Amino acid sequence: MTMLQHALLVLLLPLASAAVIGLFLRRAGGVAAALSTATAAAIAAIALILALHGERFTAAHEWLRFGDFALSLGIKFDDLAALMLTIVGVVGLCVHVFSLGYMHDDGARARYFGGLSIFMFSMIGIVLADNLFMMFIFWELVGFSSWLLINHYLHKQSAADASKKAFIANRVGDFGFLLGILWCQAQFGTTNLDALAKLVEGGAVVAAAIPLLLFCGAVGKSAQLPLHVWLPDAMEGPTPVSALIHAATMVAAGIYMLCRINVLMVPDALSVIMWVGVATAVYAALCAITQSDIKKVLAYSTLSQLGYMVAAFGLGSLSVAHGDHSHLLAAGVGAAMFHLTTHAFFKALMFLGSGSVIHACHHEQDIFKMGGLAKKLPVTFLTFTIGVLAIIGTPFLAGFFSKDAILYLAFAKHKAVFGLLAFTAVLTSFYMVRLWKLVFLGAPRSEEADHAHEGGITLTAPLVVLGVLSVIGGYGWFYTAIFRGAFDGVIDQVAHPEGTDHLVILVTSIAVLLLGALAAFTLYRPAPDDALQVKAPGLFGALSALKASFDKLYDYYVAKVQQRFAMVLNFLEQVLLAGLIVRGFAGIVGLFGLGARALHVGNANAYAYWFLLGAAALWLAAAGVLKL
């Protein structure tokens, strides 16, 4: 098989799996789970084959044509696609294996695994798309499949509400994304990524509105301010879904899309993108401090880390050359994708670790009702600890290298951004150590925690794999030796501190880590009450209000603005459209109908009168008296 055939296979396999499950296996949960997991294993294997083979290629086929407009479906497989496809494949397989144990007793397993397969198909389509229209098609499919998976527990009103909230918030961002695509087509006559790169390199001028509208798609998918509100609520879905969609793949699609359209970026757009990322990083970190639900702490952590990636992307662009090809790759692209990669490993690890904790505690999610789980869940404790150490930037772990690359980029390009991101790192260390200590140390604070025990191999094996990747995923030899430089076109662009800058970044990283960790370790004791709420109720209330502020703002907008506007439109529709136009015209037609029926009464005398009246009218017309 050629590499192109491998790429087509990796795209179509999950679609075939979803189709088979949906058509034939809806009542066979075990078989559906096995089929979906086997498909995920095949995807991971093919993704690694494609990455390691070294061949990079493009291919396209015209699908639809309307006059001069043609819509093509094509594949663009370069180093960026190879890296993202590998992440989706490896993390997707880990989530599928974990789901075998976590969802074993679920009555709707077939629907769940079918949803996972259709999501994998949609996500891989985004990764391989060679043009913006094709990317948008799969972008919307990802939105559909995430709605399906978030709403898995459809008997719960909170899950139904969360899925609708996610769907609507993403549609708002996607509307801007679509406008950007249409504007791009109108200005350049194409949305093909390679063609756009050639046009821009040839001197074509890009309006700042185009990349900003396209960025709207990333604001929705990657949950940036102000469309971030859906992600914490999306934790209503099964925990493995949170690991797959809300840690490593779907929310990362926005970052990946930005890296794909980097050639269209202009300084004004990059500045806006940078500040949106910084604001999201700081805001979400502040919100995470007051959360008591283990998954929502990780959700706000994900928001904050996504803000880090967006800020890194926006920090500037650098023209580089690689091999025989000239690329316009941002220095921020390398840093953003590097952190996306390491974050996918350690955040998926922590989400699956939280799933192991929740499973062991009989679906208890309140961290103040846990405690003492280090001895009861040794594998989960060890791997979760690795994830925590990685995200707070502990030296020699993956998160340390990728976070430092972003901090260095900020230090070199924008000192204010550097300060805000360093402050975010302090908060990250604070709330993650808080979570770790309350969940695993001390004595059990509930009956569920007291009777917790480690799950089977399907629950622990993915944690071990992701734990190893969270350690080695930040080292250069992992990409150059194990992957034989398969991602050099992306990873080579990572900014590396030099000279005195190296010392500044190193000292800053260790300082913020220790400051946040020691503050959390000192403030919190394994207890059923939130120490911050007890000792500083004003600060706790302010942070809680900050978290709720956007939801309240949207609730106010819906109730006071949108709903009233809808009532005005309904009134105008009832009076003008349904009343005056529809019923008015119907009334006029009815009058003509009454007149016509009056001509046919079945009475000879009436017909004689009508005949005489018609004859008189004809005579008057012929005599010129009546002008017709």
Side-chain angles (χ1 to χ4, degrees), residues 407-579:
L407 288 177
Y408 171 64
L409 195 60
F411 183 76
K413 299 207 171 209
H414 206 299
K415 296 298 190 295
V417 171
F418 171 74
L420 289 170
L421 292 182
F423 173 64
T424 302
V426 174
L427 298 178
T428 302
S429 180
F430 179 84
Y431 66 71
M432 288 310 306
V433 171
R434 165 187 180 264
L435 170 67
W436 174 80
K437 186 175 183 180
L438 290 172
V439 170
F440 292 104
L441 302 188
R445 294 185 295 278
S446 66
E447 185 177 348
E448 290 80 6
D450 191 42
H451 292 88
H453 59 84
E454 197 75 84
I457 187 66
T458 58
L459 293 179
T460 55
L463 300 180
V464 173
V465 172
L466 291 169
V468 172
L469 292 173
S470 297
V471 175
I472 67 176
Y475 289 91
W477 57 261
F478 177 69
Y479 302 96
T480 57
I482 294 180
F483 282 99
R484 302 200 298 270
F487 315 126
D488 282 352
V490 180
I491 300 300
D492 275 359
Q493 312 316 317
V494 176
H496 299 286
E498 298 178 356
T500 57
D501 287 349
H502 174 76
L503 183 60
V504 170
I505 300 303
L506 180 61
V507 170
T508 301
S509 296
I510 295 176
V512 298
L513 184 158
L514 293 176
L515 181 60
L518 290 175
F521 214 87
T522 303
L523 178 63
Y524 287 94
R525 298 282 186 274
D529 299 315
D530 192 317
L532 182 63
Q533 186 175 14
V534 173
K535 296 181 179 180
L539 176 60
F540 185 89
L543 293 175
S544 299
L546 180 67
K547 178 261 176 188
S549 59
F550 278 90
D551 280 323
K552 289 183 178 179
L553 180 62
Y554 284 129
D555 288 342
Y556 177 85
Y557 165 77
V558 170
K560 302 298 184 181
V561 179
Q562 181 176 294
Q563 191 63 24
R564 292 183 180 181
F565 182 64
M567 291 171 64
V568 171
L569 290 181
N570 180 67
F571 174 77
L572 293 176
E573 188 272 336
Q574 292 293 328
V575 173
L576 297 178
L577 185 60

Side-chain angles (χ1 to χ4, degrees), residues 356-405:
S356 178
V357 168
I358 293 168
H359 186 268
C361 293
H362 305 283
H363 297 281
E364 177 59 66
Q365 295 185 198
D366 189 340
I367 59 177
F368 293 99
K369 295 181 180 179
M370 296 180 182
L373 297 181
K375 295 180 180 179
K376 296 179 180 295
L377 308 174
V379 177
T380 301
F381 170 66
L382 177 61
T383 54
F384 197 94
T385 301
I386 291 173
V388 170
L389 293 175
I391 194 174
I392 67 176
T394 305
F396 310 116
L397 296 184
F400 170 76
F401 298 103
S402 60
K403 185 196 72 176
D404 274 17

